[in-house]
């Protein structure tokens, strides 16, 4: 038995001696990469890194480099560091505004081809240069902006407020002819980065954006949702008879703001007239009324049903507005083309063919809203 143990330890020692090792203090672990294409067609790569040291468990640093390729830019960034940059833990890639307008597929292809990088890398766009975004707030803070931005996406996607868009999901959507990707769009307000908009992509090119407060409407068409907040502005006129007169002595507003919790929400889209490009999207919502800006007493089912009808109208109006914007951009973020494609011969559809059809499609939105819980609301 002792001989076997001796041979085992000797074998493990020989194997471990064959593996090249690096001292962790000499490594810079890249967790976020910003990509900007410069006027001379070179690529500027801005890297947020973790550096481990004997004095502290870790600290944050930011470096940048230029090159003809992303890998070349990373090698160039190594020239301004005394440690080796390791890209294997990249969590987030940020594309600058002008770069994204020209198309991000070449950079995504680089990510995909690198077997050392995970498919779970999040993708995003900023309305300025990636370098500006990642540098924002670093003058007076030791915060790793890249990790902070990754956390914003993670939190929103985990709460199902914004569809999760990682490398794998983007490529899956891109190659699904008839559907265009969306990405989170970052801006920095007073030095604090935040998700301000939904970046609308036409294939791999950034062509416009829609305010982030519409994210729930995108998510509802792309996923089944639960336990999400929904804010709607409703006309006050149909509800005036049910206002608490003592609490609302002077009402001079045309609208009332409301907040709901979506207990459960789902949608289904069908193509009802292929020749004329007519679709029907059915949306079903079970809601809990959380708040209104004017005090309303909901005493019976009649008032509840009135509320539900106004909610249904407001959601229909919102979807029509978003669809009109998407048709102006000629970017099918809702994926109506993917449904249309299933009804074509052999399930095939040319991108150019759908670009001609999409601006002319008609969608009938049917909304069925049920307020399951309410009570007296302030």
């Amino acid at each position: 038995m002792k001989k076997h143990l001796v041979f085992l330890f000797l074998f493990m020692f020989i194997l471990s001696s064959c593996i090249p090792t690096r001292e962790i203090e000499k490594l810079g672990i890249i967790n976020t990469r910003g990509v900007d294409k410069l006027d001379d067609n070179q690529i500027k790569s801005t890297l947020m890194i973790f550096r481990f040291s004997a004095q502290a468990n870790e600290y944050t640093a930011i470096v940048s480099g230029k090159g003809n390729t992303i890998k070349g830019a990373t090698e160039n960034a190594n020239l301004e560091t005394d440690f080796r940059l390791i890209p294997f833990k990249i969590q987030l890639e940020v594309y600058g505004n002008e770069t994204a307008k020209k198309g991000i597929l070449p950079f995504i292809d680089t990510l995909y081809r690198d077997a050392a990088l995970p498919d779970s890398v999040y993708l995003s766009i900023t309305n300025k240069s990636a370098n500006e975004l990642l540098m924002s707030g670093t003058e007076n803070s030791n915060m790793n902006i890249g990790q902070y931005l990754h956390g914003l996406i993670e939190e929103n996607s985990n709460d199902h407020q914004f569809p999760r868009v990682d490398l794998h999901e983007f490529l899956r959507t891109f190659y699904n002819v008839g559907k265009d990707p969306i990405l989170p769009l970052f801006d920095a307000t007073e030095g604090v980065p935040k998700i301000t908009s939904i970046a609308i992509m036409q294939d791999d090119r950034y062509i416009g954006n829609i305010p982030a407060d519409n994210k729930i409407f995108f998510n509802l068409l792309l996923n089944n949702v639960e336990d999400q907040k929904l804010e709607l502005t409703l006309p006050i006129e149909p509800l005036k008879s049910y206002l608490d007169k003592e609490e609302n002595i002077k009402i001079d507003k045309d609208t009332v703001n409301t907040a709901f919790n979506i207990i459960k929400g789902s949608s289904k889209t069908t193509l009802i007239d292929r020749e004329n490009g007519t679709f029907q999207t059915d949306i079903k919502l079970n809601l809990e009324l959380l708040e209104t800006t004017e005090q309303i007493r909901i005493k019976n089912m009649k008032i509840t049903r009135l509320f539900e009808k106004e909610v249904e109208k407001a959601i229909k109006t919102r979807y029509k507005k978003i669809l009109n914007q998407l048709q102006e951009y000629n970017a099918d973020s809702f994926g109506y083309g993917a449904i249309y494609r299933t009804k074509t011969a052999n399930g095939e559809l040319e991108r150019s063919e759908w670009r001609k059809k999409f601006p002319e499609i008609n969608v009938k939105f049917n909304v069925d809203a049920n307020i399951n819980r309410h009570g007296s609301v302030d």
Side-chain angles (χ1 to χ4, degrees):
M1 180 68 181
K2 291 183 178 179
K3 288 184 179 180
H4 287 300
L5 289 174
V6 171
F7 281 120
L8 178 61
F9 283 120
L10 181 61
F11 183 66
M12 292 174 63
F13 174 77
I14 293 172
L15 284 180
S16 62
S17 64
C18 297
I19 300 174
T21 60
R22 293 174 177 171
E23 296 180 30
I24 194 169
E25 290 84 0
K26 295 182 179 180
L27 301 179
I29 312 299
I30 303 171
N31 79 308
T32 302
R33 179 166 58 195
V35 179
D36 294 301
K37 196 161 188 178
L38 306 177
D39 292 338
D40 59 2
N41 282 327
Q42 280 201 311
I43 296 169
K44 182 173 183 177
S45 188
T46 305
L47 309 171
M48 303 292 302
I49 62 174
F50 285 126
R51 174 83 191 277
F52 295 86
S53 67
Q55 290 75 28
N57 291 332
E58 63 183 46
Y59 71 86
T60 296
I62 183 167
V63 296
S64 62
K66 298 178 183 179
N68 295 321
T69 63
I70 287 182
K71 292 189 180 300
T74 302
E75 288 299 317
N76 181 254
N78 263 308
L79 299 177
E80 63 176 77
T81 68
D82 60 349
F83 44 85
R84 185 66 182 168
L85 299 177
I86 303 297
F88 304 154
K89 294 296 182 180
I90 293 179
Q91 297 178 311
L92 174 66
E93 184 121 312
V94 182
Y95 302 105
N97 184 284
E98 295 303 318
T99 302
K101 288 179 179 178
K102 297 173 183 176
I104 63 176
L105 190 61
F107 310 113
I108 292 176
D109 184 67
T110 301
L111 286 172
Y112 183 72
R113 289 176 183 275
D114 195 334
L117 294 178
D119 288 345
S120 58
V121 176
Y122 287 143
L123 307 178
S124 64
I125 292 173
T126 175
N127 64 351
K128 51 187 64 180
S129 73
N131 179 265
E132 285 180 282
L133 180 74
L134 295 180
M135 292 295 292
S136 63
T138 57
E139 299 84 355
N140 303 313
S141 173
N142 292 322
M143 177 177 64
N144 185 303
I145 297 296
Q147 190 179 34
Y148 173 75
L149 297 177
H150 177 270
L152 289 180
I153 297 177
E154 187 81 5
E155 180 181 351
N156 279 274
S157 60
N158 284 343
D159 291 344
H160 302 291
Q161 295 179 14
F162 194 96
R164 186 186 298 268
V165 186
D166 55 26
L167 173 62
H168 174 77
E169 178 62 24
F170 185 93
L171 288 174
R172 189 183 71 83
T173 303
F174 176 82
Y175 288 112
N176 183 10
V177 177
K179 185 178 180 181
D180 289 298
I182 57 174
L183 290 175
L185 182 74
F186 288 113
D187 193 7
T189 304
E190 298 180 354
V192 180
K194 62 183 295 187
I195 299 175
T196 58
S197 304
I198 301 166
I200 304 302
M201 312 294 289
Q202 188 186 79
D203 297 327
D204 69 324
R205 295 182 299 109
Y206 168 55
I207 58 170
N209 61 78
I210 290 177
D213 61 3
N214 290 293
K215 59 188 178 182
I216 180 61
F217 297 97
F218 279 81
N219 208 21
L220 188 56
L221 252 63
L222 301 173
N223 303 285
N224 291 332
V225 300
E226 293 181 359
D227 194 24
Q228 289 192 40
K229 298 300 180 288
L230 170 67
E231 290 188 337
L232 293 171
T233 299
L234 306 178
I236 204 169
E237 187 61 37
L239 306 170
K240 261 187 175 179
S241 301
Y242 307 103
L243 294 174
D244 189 310
K245 302 300 183 181
E246 294 182 2
E247 297 291 337
N248 301 277
I249 299 174
K250 295 180 180 180
I251 298 295
D252 56 358
K253 301 175 183 177
D254 295 325
T255 59
V256 55
N257 295 315
T258 62
F260 297 88
N261 178 50
I262 300 177
I263 301 170
K264 188 175 182 180
S266 61
S267 66
K268 181 180 179 181
T269 296
T270 53
L271 177 63
I272 59 177
D273 186 341
R274 182 177 178 277
E275 185 175 345
N276 294 309
T278 303
F279 296 81
Q280 179 172 303
T281 294
D282 298 311
I283 301 161
K284 186 174 179 60
L285 296 168
N286 290 326
L287 302 171
E288 176 185 10
L289 179 59
L290 300 176
E291 180 182 353
T292 65
T293 52
E294 306 297 338
Q295 194 171 65
I296 301 172
R297 300 296 181 183
I298 302 179
K299 301 177 180 179
N300 53 51
M301 287 302 299
K302 179 182 178 182
I303 305 173
T304 301
R305 186 53 193 150
L306 176 63
F307 237 99
E308 290 171 345
K309 286 183 177 180
E310 294 305 317
V311 167
E312 291 167 355
K313 290 177 185 177
I315 293 175
K316 286 181 186 180
T317 299
R318 195 73 163 265
Y319 270 116
K320 288 177 181 178
K321 181 178 179 180
I322 295 173
L323 179 61
N324 286 338
Q325 289 178 282
L326 294 177
Q327 288 181 304
E328 288 177 8
Y329 288 137
N330 200 359
D332 186 2
S333 308
F334 287 158
Y336 287 107
I339 296 170
Y340 180 89
R341 193 186 72 230
T342 63
K343 304 300 181 180
T344 62
N346 301 319
E348 295 181 356
L349 179 66
E350 295 292 331
R351 291 180 189 270
S352 57
E353 179 185 353
W354 187 242
R355 291 288 175 226
K356 294 178 182 178
K357 290 181 179 293
F358 177 65
E360 304 300 326
I361 70 167
N362 298 298
V363 180
K364 181 181 180 182
F365 292 100
N366 293 326
V367 181
D368 179 14
N370 296 287
I371 300 177
N372 296 336
R373 295 194 288 268
H374 45 77
S376 298
V377 185
D378 294 336

